Structure formats: structure tokens, C-alpha cells
Amino acid sequence: MNSQQAKINGQIVNIQDGETILQAAKRLGIEIPTLCYSEGMHPEGGCRMCLVESNQKSLPVGACHTPIQAGMEIQTHTPKLEALRRDILSLYLDDEQPVFQGNGKETKFTGLLQDYQLKPISDSQAVKVDNSHPYLSFNPDTCITCRLCLNACEQIQGQFVYGISGRGSESRLVFGAEESFADSPCVACGACVDLCPTGAITDRDRLNLTPADSVTETVCGYCGVGCRLEVESAQGKVLRINPVEDAVVNQGHLCVKGRYAHSYHHSSDRLTQPLKRVGEEFQPISWDEALDLIAEKLLTIKADYGADALGAFSSSRSTNEAAYLLQKLFRSLIKTNNVDCCARVCHSSTALGLRTVTGAGAASASYVDIEKAKCIVIAGANPTEAHPVVGARIKQAVLNGARLVVIDPRRIELAEYADIHLQLLPGTNVPLFNALAKVLIAEDLIDRDYLNERVEGFEEFCTFLNNLSLEEIASITTVETNLICEAARLIGSYGQTLFVHGLGLSELTQGTASVMTLCNLGMLTGSIGREGAGMLPLRGQNNVQGNADMGGMPNLITGYQPLNNPELRQRLESLWGGVPPEEPGLTIPEMIDAAARGDIHALWIQGEDVVQSDNNETHVREALSNLDFLVVQELFFSETCQYAHVILPAAAALEQEGTFTNGERRIQHVRPAVPPPGEARPDWEAIRDVAVKIGANWNYQNPGEVMDEIAQVAPNFFGGVSYTRLKGDGLQWPCPSSDHPGTVTVHAEHFIRGKGQLVTIDYIPSPEHGVAGYPFLLITGRLLEHYNVGTMTRRTPNQELVTEDVLEIHPADANREHIADGEPVNLESRWGSTTVKAKHSRRIAPNTLFLSFHYPETHTNRITGPHLDPKSKCPQYKAVAVRLQPNKS
């Protein structure tokens, strides 16, 4: 044994820096029992089950927290230690509270009892189990107060729900100041369940003792984080969902939606066969009849009105393969570029802004940069609600020392963790970012080498900023000058910064400008293209990134290639047998307008409820009712289905094969865990079959063949992507060749466009600012418990967690307007009105309001208007002039 070695049970082990005895033993294949320890968390050292003997200590030491040192000779299972462990377990059994097996299943604790020949007590008395939460159950009689749940909650989710009350045998687990799970601040991530050694805290779907006959690894179908899942199923039904422990995206973690909200797959509301409109009713028809009717109508309308009288909206809830085929059908067979996706109404400003100044319309950074970041700026994003697993990682980064600046009109949860919160007036991102840039340059808190080597436009930018007044910007944004300076100094003092941004930037009339001026800060600090830094937009839906990547845009083909690119057109001629027009098509808002005018006669809407989710609902309804033909692919009969002529039942995320691309450009393999209900089919199959009916020779037998074609169409981005390579964590584009590992950091050596571009953009007030008679600015957005328009989550127990949309209003405003908490109010804009309950909240600033849009009866988007970003055509959802009054009816 040399100076860098130790012995465990006679086996020599080489010492690794920072390693404990427990970790070193595990490397040797020696299992030391524990109850309160979990890899990756700070050791608790409370259960004493891991005590070992060392030649360097007179008394046994805890293996979980004792560093292994050179020369140690350790024994892990001597008779004395084994007797001690048996005594410790016996103490739990001698307690007045009996210990049961975890809902009839083997747990870590019952396994140890068996190992040490002890029997759990069986108590016939009624046990007071807390089943107040729709997903979680707590049995206090099986709790041994090991603190693992408390540590998991704090060190994984950062929620601080649990506490320990009392001492010794009187100690018990409590939920903060609350008495029950349902009333606690628990966000139902399930991390505590995974670690509880006794089953005291468990998922209520674990109470179903039906054994799984299949476990399928796939990807979550909710937000754009792209968490990897293990889905347990039996007899074609989803039983329960677990996180993939070693997934790089979610690191063994999930949120309330990804882990629990899966019962919608088996809802009785699911569409199970094609439907055809007959008068005001819908009648079931066969797939052959549906496909024939769609092909006939598309061709007839094209013949009567021209190719540009048709259009398609591809779905960000569906797969890359489905998105690719739908745009291919309309471009190669119908011969129109009227193809768009829901990225238009969320992150189109982000994509355009990033592409303009960096050359790539996607994140430069990855989620692994969160842990590497020294400074994080969150601008216009609410990660703990909209992207919960990323939000939890940001919390942990801050708790471990990262500095945080939050820029948001609302006091979001992460503002409580922030060093500085800049609570700006909605729609004033551009002047605020310009002010931060002005301070960075004035105080020489910039990376001059980076700017000289990699960026253009610096001199013009400095001249532009010299003419701006910090005091005037403070007046516009309602953010005090001293706070602006403090934030700039904090960012500048750390240099390279991770900029996490969201729809609070993009969904404005200055949305593209907001993203580009934020990128100015990224370039001034030398952040873009660096580890632990850069631009990280949080994409909304599970495949909104992929949908745009696949060509779900009217001006760009798959891989963001211009329609008039000669090399692309040559490839398409070979692969498609023809080329699309060179003239760009219409965006979603433009197609809606064209339908209302009578210029668009037919639409194919794939998996998007545009009536509920798109701006200016009244106008959308009028446009759809004016169509000659509307095809809708959906899981449920949505608000949009009311206007359809043919409805195709679609397979959900856990029912089909394909790929999703998450917000960090990661392409992951989606696998079916259960079959779709009835006659429902994957979207890509339905599109293929319609194309064949139209006359195409499409012979795709599986979605892997579609991905192979995608790689050929866009080799620079996807040339190295194939299903054979999409094992485990998948691949991040650009991935141009079969031996390329994928790209974690974009622009690492140089910007894709050559040099980064600093932009000089001045503030233009929103048309919703200062509207006479409408004194409030409304912000719309989503909540943790629901997903976009709530089509899926409203058909799960999440419905019990949040039962309705409510209007958040500052108490001072509510008192002035004589609006009681919980009282219905009439909310009115220049575009429409609705009635909703008010909720007093100090998360919202005075003179601003917040309303979610998860329930169709709320009609949130009756309120939003027609205003668009002039460049991206993204609607303005984040600042709408409104007025309100109590509803006395």
C-alpha cells in the first residue's frame, strides 16, 4: 500500500480527492448499509447505519461523511458493527410507532430488516394516513425521521417544505406551518418519494399494486426541458412514471406534470376515430374515407383558388418527423410555403433575434451550464413554473453560490433567491437592456479582447448609448437608476454570464429587439460561446424547438435554410422530386387574417388549439368559421375542433415513436409506452397516407426513415443524426457527420455568422402603453400545474391542484377598485372582455395584472389584441391595456 492508497476489508483502494469512505467502498463493490444517505446530496450522518471501524480512529466513524485518507485500514462488517446495526434497526421497531412495508412493497428499510433478521410490526389499528394531496400520500406511522425527504426537498427541488418537530422519540415530520400535504408549499416533484427508505411518503399511483409488464424509456411530452422518463405500463395502460436517474437533462428529477399528469392518455374524452362534419354535428368515418376526403378537398381548393389558398400549422406537441412531413406535403405537393408552427406565437422573436446577431436562432448554451455559471440573469422567464426542472437547477446553483439577477414585471419565485430584482414595466425590456449596456461600458466592465476579436459594431453602439439618459430610462421602465447600476456592476464583475430568457422578451411588439438587446449584454461580457455562460432561451412546448428546426416556418426550409438556396434546391429536387416556390409564405397571424378576408380557403391544423391559445380570440373564431375546409389532428375535441370539417384522432407523446428536440437543441428518441386508443394514429402516418392519396410516392415504413431524409436535407445541422445514434441522452445539433459528438456550446470558436453583431435599437412604446381609459397592463402566462391551454392537464388530477384561472391583482389596486379577494371581475380590453375571479397578490406590481390561459371558459385571449412584432410577427401577449370592475351579476 503506497502513500495514496487505503484498504477496505483488505482490498487496496486508490484515494480520489474529496471521496468519502462510503464512496470508495462502493467503487470496490462493497455495500455499506445506510438509511439517511443519498448519492449527490450532502451527507446527513444521522442514521449511524454506515458506521465503520478504522485503524486511525478509536471509535467507529460514519462512512458517509468521513473522507478516506492514506494509510486507513477500514472494516465495514465486523460482528461488532453488525450487532450495532441490528440494535439501531431494533430501536425503530421498539418505538411506539410501528413500521409497515411500504404499501405492501419492498422498501430499503424492510430490506435491511430482512438482512438483519428482524420483522416489521404489523398493526391492526387504523393508521391516520394523509391522502389530502391528489398525488402524494404520507403515513406518519412508517416515518423514521431520517431527513432524506427534507434534504431531497432542499437540495434537489429547493422548496424547503419539510421540517422536524420535537426531539428523540417525539420527533415527527411536519410540512412547514401547514398540517397537510395539500396545504403545504409542496410542488409534487416526487424527489422525496424516490428517496424515502420506508415508503412513508409515496406516490399514490404506487398504491396500485398492479405489476408493470413493460418499462419504456422515452421523453416527456410537456415543456421544452425534455426530461427523460421510464414509463411503467400494464395491459396498455400507463401505471406510473419515474425519472431516468442518469439523464443529463433532468438528472433523475421530474416535475408534477412529467411524473404524475399522465392519466389523460386514458381519458374517456380522447378522440378515437376520424370525424366528419355533417351540418352542425360530427359523425364517425373510416380512415380511408377521411384520407380520401382530405386529399380530394385539398386538390379541389388548389385547383379552384391556387396553391396559396391553402396553409398548414404544424404542431410543437408532435414529433420532428410529423412536423417535417407536414411542411414537405404542403411545399412539395401543394406547392405553397404557407407553413408555420406555434413557435410563431411564442419564440419566433427569440429565433429571429438570435439568428440576426449570432447566426443561429437557438440557444448557444446548454442546461449543464447552469451548474457552471457564476452569474445568471433571468429575463422574462419564470422557470420554476414553466420549466420546473430547469428552475430547480437554477435554485440549486444560486444556493451553491451563483449570483442571480431577475428581470421581470412580476415577483416570480426566483426573485426571492435573487441578488437583484429589476421589476420593470411590461414592454420596456429594450430601454432597460440599453441602460445596463451603458453602465457596463461606462465603468469598463466589458471583455474588450472578446469584442475586438469576435464582435462588430462596437463604436456605433457606444455612440448610440452616449445619447441615452439613465434617468429617462428609469422613468420609462419604473426601475430606479441605482438598481440598474447595481445590476450592471454585478453582471460586469463576474464577466461571463448565463442569460436565461423567455416569452417575457419575445411576446411583445419589440420582442425581436428585446432579444437582440439582451444579446448585446451577452457580447459585451464575452459570454456567448463560453462554458457556464451564453444565451439560454427556455422553449415552451416539448418540441417547439424541433418544429421550427424541421421547417415549420414560411421562409425557411428544414435546418433554417433559405428557400432560394441553390444547393438546398438541388438536394430537394433529388430527395423530393421537386422544389417549393422561392417566395416565402404567410405566418400564422397572416394566415388567420387571410382566412378572415377569404383569401385562405383551407387549413390543416396539427395539434394546436389556436382558438384558445392565439391572440385576439374573436378574430380567430371568425377566420376559422370562414374556411371552406379545415383539417384538425388532435387528442381531444378542442375549441378549434368546433370549426373543423375533418378531425383526425392523434397519438399522444407516450403512444408513438419519433424524436423531440428540447430547448438546448438536444434531439432525443421518443418511444411508445402504450398503444393509442381506438383508431388514433401517430401524426406522421396520417400525413404520409394523405400524401399517397394525393399521388406522392412516399414509402416511409417508420419514423427513423423520415429522420434519415431530414439528415440529407439539412446535413450541416442534422447530417450525423440517426436513430442508431440517439441512444441515452441523444445528440445536440449542429451534428454534421456520423462521427460528430454533437454540440454543447454553439459559437465556441467563432460566431456562425462570422462575427457577432451589436445592435443599436431605441425604445418604441407599445401601442398598449398609455391607452386612455385602460389603466392596467395585463400579462398572460402559464402556471406550474398546467400546460398551455390545459387540454391534457385538465384531464388529470392536476385539475384538483389548480381548478381555474384567476386574475392576480396587487392589493392596493384591488382596494382602490373595491375588488375583494376571490370576487368575480369584468376584465375588458379594446378587443374583448371576460369575467374572472380576482386574487390579491403582491407578486404583481401596482397597475399591472396577471392572468393564465389554461381553461377555455376563461377566454383569456379574448383580451389580447392584434398587435405583432413587425419583424417576427409574434403577437403581444405580455402587455395588454385593460380595465376592470367588480362583476355584480
Side-chain angles (χ1 to χ4, degrees):
M1 192 165 61
N2 63 34
S3 61
Q4 294 300 313
Q5 292 179 327
K7 280 185 179 180
I8 304 178
N9 294 351
Q11 297 185 56
I12 293 176
V13 61
N14 293 318
I15 294 174
Q16 295 183 0
D17 288 344
E19 195 171 42
T20 64
I21 295 171
L22 184 69
Q23 292 167 327
K26 189 173 183 179
R27 280 200 291 122
L28 293 176
I30 299 170
E31 291 295 328
I32 301 173
T34 65
L35 277 173
C36 68
Y37 174 81
S38 179
E39 189 68 39
M41 294 200 300
H42 304 309
E44 176 69 27
C47 73
R48 315 309 287 167
M49 288 292 291
C50 70
L51 289 176
V52 297
E53 295 175 354
S54 167
N55 65 327
Q56 296 182 359
K57 303 289 182 180
S58 59
L59 296 173
V61 296
C64 69
H65 59 81
T66 303
I68 191 165
Q69 297 176 350
M72 272 188 171
E73 295 187 14
I74 298 158
Q75 294 295 322
T76 66
H77 288 77
T78 66
K80 180 180 177 181
L81 291 171
E82 291 293 89
L84 179 60
R85 288 169 184 149
R86 193 176 193 279
D87 288 344
I88 291 170
L89 292 171
S90 297
L91 288 174
Y92 289 120
L93 296 181
D94 288 341
D95 198 349
E96 293 179 1
Q97 295 181 334
V99 178
F100 299 94
Q101 289 189 331
N103 303 308
K105 293 186 176 183
E106 181 77 11
T107 65
K108 185 174 185 178
F109 186 77
T110 54
L112 285 171
L113 294 182
Q114 187 174 15
D115 290 343
Y116 288 88
Q117 300 179 343
L118 295 167
K119 291 184 178 181
I121 296 171
S122 179
D123 188 2
S124 60
Q125 295 181 1
V127 178
K128 187 178 179 181
V129 177
D130 183 349
N131 283 324
S132 61
H133 195 284
Y135 292 126
L136 293 161
S137 174
F138 174 56
N139 182 346
D141 283 359
T142 67
C143 177
I144 59 174
T145 57
C146 66
R147 300 175 64 91
L148 261 180
C149 58
L150 185 150
N151 291 332
C153 192
E154 294 181 2
Q155 297 174 37
I156 298 175
Q157 181 60 36
Q159 203 64 21
F160 301 91
V161 170
Y162 299 111
I164 303 294
S165 174
R167 301 182 65 182
S169 63
E170 298 299 317
S171 65
R172 65 186 183 93
L173 186 69
V174 294
F175 309 106
E178 307 299 337
E179 293 297 322
S180 70
F181 249 142
D183 296 326
S184 77
C186 173
V187 295
C189 71
C192 56
V193 173
D194 290 334
L195 297 183
C196 179
T198 69
I201 302 174
T202 190
D203 296 335
R204 290 180 66 179
D205 58 13
R206 263 66 176 171
L207 302 177
N208 176 359
L209 299 183
T210 303
D213 56 34
S214 178
V215 178
T216 306
E217 191 172 299
T218 187
V219 182
C220 183
Y222 280 110
C223 79
V225 173
C227 296
R228 286 173 59 199
L229 313 175
E230 286 182 350
V231 182
E232 297 183 35
S233 60
Q235 299 176 348
K237 293 286 185 73
V238 176
L239 296 177
R240 58 195 71 91
I241 293 177
N242 302 300
V244 173
E245 288 300 323
D246 61 351
V248 69
V249 170
N250 50 309
Q251 301 176 332
H253 194 35
L254 290 175
C255 78
V256 62
K257 295 187 289 289
R259 185 181 182 108
Y260 297 115
H262 52 73
S263 58
Y264 75 89
H265 283 84
H266 315 304
S267 168
S268 59
D269 292 341
R270 284 291 298 273
L271 294 168
T272 59
Q273 57 191 132
L275 300 174
K276 170 186 174 182
R277 176 184 290 279
V278 179
E280 295 302 311
E281 298 181 350
F282 289 88
Q283 295 181 358
I285 58 175
S286 69
W287 268 99
D288 278 343
E289 186 179 350
L291 298 171
D292 286 337
L293 179 59
I294 294 169
E296 175 195 344
K297 286 289 188 179
L298 295 181
L299 291 175
T300 299
I301 291 171
K302 177 184 177 182
D304 290 346
Y305 302 105
D308 288 336
L310 299 92
F313 302 176
S314 57
S315 174
S316 296
R317 289 159 53 204
S318 194
T319 63
N320 284 322
E321 293 74 13
Y324 171 80
L325 289 183
L326 188 59
Q327 62 90 36
K328 178 183 176 181
L329 186 153
F330 274 76
R331 283 180 158 134
S332 68
L333 301 179
I334 304 299
K335 297 295 184 181
T336 180
N337 286 313
N338 288 342
V339 178
D340 208 1
C341 70
C342 84
R344 180 64 51 197
V345 297
C346 59
H347 266 296
S348 58
S349 300
T350 302
L352 178 58
L354 287 169
R355 189 166 63 251
T356 300
V357 300
T358 71
S364 72
S366 297
Y367 300 148
V368 294
D369 290 305
I370 294 170
E371 286 78 20
K372 298 175 182 178
K374 295 179 180 178
C375 183
I376 301 172
V377 172
I378 299 175
N382 188 5
T384 57
E385 295 209 56
H387 304 85
V389 170
V390 163
R393 289 176 69 167
I394 293 172
K395 278 188 190 179
Q396 294 305 319
V398 175
L399 292 170
N400 287 319
R403 307 301 294 273
L404 178 63
V405 176
V406 168
I407 302 171
D408 201 286
R410 301 169 70 210
R411 190 162 183 82
I412 62 172
E413 183 183 5
L414 282 168
E416 304 298 329
Y417 293 73
D419 295 277
I420 300 171
H421 175 206
L422 304 180
Q423 194 167 14
L424 74 170
L425 182 74
T428 60
N429 297 310
V430 170
L432 181 60
F433 297 158
N434 283 339
L436 291 170
K438 182 180 179 74
V439 176
L440 286 172
I441 293 173
E443 300 193 11
D444 199 25
L445 298 171
I446 58 178
D447 189 332
R448 291 191 177 275
D449 290 340
Y450 181 97
L451 291 166
N452 290 334
E453 295 170 9
R454 302 191 56 177
V455 176
E456 57 191 9
F458 181 67
E459 296 302 325
E460 297 87 342
F461 187 52
C462 290
T463 302
F464 164 72
L465 293 178
N466 285 339
N467 296 319
L468 298 183
S469 162
L470 288 183
E471 290 72 22
E472 183 179 346
I473 290 173
S475 176
I476 291 169
T477 62
T478 70
V479 179
E480 296 177 3
T481 305
N482 66 308
L483 278 179
I484 294 173
C485 292
E486 285 179 29
R489 288 167 188 149
L490 177 60
I491 295 166
S493 65
Y494 282 88
Q496 295 171 15
T497 296
L498 182 63
F499 294 90
V500 179
H501 51 109
L503 301 183
L505 269 61
S506 63
E507 290 181 342
L508 294 165
T509 53
Q510 273 203 303
T512 305
S514 294
V515 174
M516 290 194 289
T517 50
L518 185 70
C519 288
N520 284 343
L521 304 181
M523 286 182 265
L524 290 175
T525 54
S527 300
I528 302 177
R530 300 287 174 79
E531 285 190 2
M535 314 307 296
L536 187 59
L538 298 181
R539 306 307 297 258
Q541 298 192 57
N542 54 298
N543 199 38
V544 66
Q545 179 67 58
N547 204 343
D549 295 345
M550 293 300 108
M553 305 175 78
N555 60 327
L556 298 169
I557 295 282
T558 311
Y560 303 97
Q561 300 173 95
L563 290 161
N564 60 359
N565 182 309
E567 294 180 359
L568 166 69
R569 298 182 74 80
Q570 187 175 359
R571 285 196 299 275
L572 294 182
E573 186 68 55
S574 173
L575 294 166
W576 290 5
V579 293
E582 293 192 17
E583 185 69 24
L586 302 178
T587 63
I588 286 177
E590 291 169 334
M591 282 190 266
I592 293 294
D593 289 346
R597 293 193 306 267
D599 294 334
I600 290 278
H601 290 262
L603 285 175
W604 183 321
I605 299 179
Q606 179 193 76
E608 297 296 340
D609 189 1
V610 296
V611 170
Q612 192 179 339
S613 64
D614 283 23
N615 61 306
N616 203 355
E617 178 190 320
T618 301
H619 179 59
V620 173
R621 289 183 183 272
E622 290 171 352
L624 296 185
S625 65
N626 202 34
L627 290 170
D628 296 334
F629 190 63
L630 173 61
V631 180
V632 174
Q633 288 177 285
E634 255 299 356
L635 305 180
F636 300 96
F637 193 92
S638 66
E639 296 292 301
T640 301
C641 285
Q642 298 174 21
Y643 301 91
H645 297 87
V646 175
I647 302 172
L648 301 179
L654 302 184
E655 300 165 354
Q656 61 178 313
E657 185 178 21
T659 56
F660 295 156
T661 305
N662 76 351
E664 54 171 359
R665 300 167 281 99
R666 186 180 301 277
I667 305 167
Q668 299 185 98
H669 193 177
V670 178
R671 300 171 180 86
V674 292
E679 299 176 25
R681 293 184 184 179
D683 292 333
W684 77 269
E685 287 187 16
I687 300 162
R688 175 201 62 190
D689 294 345
V690 169
V692 171
K693 293 284 187 180
I694 289 175
N697 184 28
W698 288 12
N699 296 313
Y700 310 108
Q701 297 302 303
N702 56 68
E705 293 180 1
V706 182
M707 178 54 71
D708 291 341
E709 182 174 302
I710 292 166
Q712 295 178 72
V713 170
N716 289 342
F717 276 35
F718 312 121
V721 178
S722 66
Y723 277 24
T724 57
R725 296 195 67 204
L726 293 180
K727 293 178 171 42
D729 292 312
L731 291 165
Q732 289 176 272
W733 65 257
C735 182
S737 62
S738 60
D739 59 352
H740 194 284
T743 304
V744 177
T745 305
V746 183
H747 318 295
E749 296 180 4
H750 56 79
F751 284 96
I752 288 179
R753 73 183 296 275
K755 284 194 171 186
Q757 177 66 59
L758 290 168
V759 293
T760 56
I761 301 176
D762 208 347
Y763 169 59
I764 301 173
S766 162
E768 296 289 323
H769 283 152
V771 179
Y774 297 85
F776 295 94
L777 278 177
L778 174 70
I779 305 165
T780 68
R782 66 167 81 161
L783 305 177
L784 165 68
E785 295 81 2
H786 286 293
Y787 173 71
N788 282 15
V789 297
T791 304
M792 299 183 293
T793 50
R794 283 187 281 109
R795 292 172 171 89
T796 73
N798 281 38
Q799 158 81 17
E800 300 173 37
L801 296 172
V802 173
T803 60
E804 59 187 347
D805 296 309
V806 294
L807 182 73
E808 291 185 17
I809 180 172
H810 193 276
D813 292 333
N815 292 335
R816 186 182 67 247
E817 300 290 331
H818 306 293
I819 296 171
D821 192 34
E823 180 181 6
V825 295
N826 292 328
L827 180 67
E828 183 182 357
S829 72
R830 291 172 290 168
W831 325 108
S833 63
T834 191
T835 301
V836 64
K837 286 183 183 177
K839 178 183 178 182
H840 294 187
S841 173
R842 295 188 181 276
R843 296 207 313 170
I844 200 77
N847 303 315
T848 60
L849 307 168
F850 175 82
L851 181 61
S852 54
F853 56 93
H854 302 303
Y855 285 82
E857 55 268 28
T858 306
H859 297 289
T860 300
N861 281 313
R862 277 186 191 166
I863 305 301
T864 55
H867 302 303
L868 309 174
D869 180 292
K871 295 181 179 180
S872 68
K873 307 301 181 185
C874 182
Q876 176 156 298
Y877 293 98
K878 301 305 183 189
V880 183
V882 295
R883 60 190 177 195
L884 48 80
Q885 59 186 17
N887 181 279
K888 301 302 183 182
S889 59

